[in-house]
């Protein structure tokens, strides 16, 4: 469950271009044809703060689902499972 009051109407990933886990998760979304919003925590002024408010951590990627659940640094298997469950 998210600790912020922000809501999301689509899968949203907070990440950075230099982050290997972010690139991997992004590639999985693209391979599966998943529509998602990407928030670059370095390019978007409040991106990092929003990600931390959701996860309580500074690790990325933070992936948020419309139902309010989130994952931090998920493996491909964890992310695929979460997507399939929704």
């Amino acid at each position: 469950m998210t600790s912020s009051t922000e809501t999301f109407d689509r899968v949203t990933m907070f990440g950075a271009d230099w982050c290997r886990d972010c690139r991997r998760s992004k590639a999985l979304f693209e391979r599966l044809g998943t529509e998602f919003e990407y928030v670059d925590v370095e390019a978007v002024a409040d991106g990092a703060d929003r990600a931390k408010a959701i996860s309580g951590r500074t690790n990325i990627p933070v992936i948020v689902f419309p139902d309010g659940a989130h994952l931090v640094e998920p493996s491909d298997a964890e992310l695929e499972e979460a997507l399939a469950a929704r």
Side-chain angles (χ1 to χ4, degrees), residues 14-35:
F14 293 85
D17 292 341
W18 52 261
C19 170
R20 185 178 329 172
D21 289 331
C22 299
R23 290 193 306 264
R24 183 179 43 73
S25 292
K26 211 178 195 183
L28 179 67
F29 285 144
E30 290 167 1
R31 195 165 56 247
L32 296 175
T34 303
E35 287 189 27

Side-chain angles (χ1 to χ4, degrees), residues 21-58:
D21 289 331
C22 299
R23 290 193 306 264
R24 183 179 43 73
S25 292
K26 211 178 195 183
L28 179 67
F29 285 144
E30 290 167 1
R31 195 165 56 247
L32 296 175
T34 303
E35 287 189 27
F36 69 101
E37 181 177 344
Y38 178 70
V39 179
D40 186 321
V41 298
E42 293 189 324
V44 176
D46 66 346
D49 291 337
R50 289 170 61 202
K52 186 175 181 184
I54 292 162
S55 69
R57 300 164 54 186
T58 57

Side-chain angles (χ1 to χ4, degrees), residues 63-80:
I63 299 169
V64 188
F65 300 93
D67 65 4
H70 72 274
L71 296 172
V72 180
E73 295 182 308
S75 68
D76 282 355
E78 290 170 324
L79 183 51
E80 266 193 272

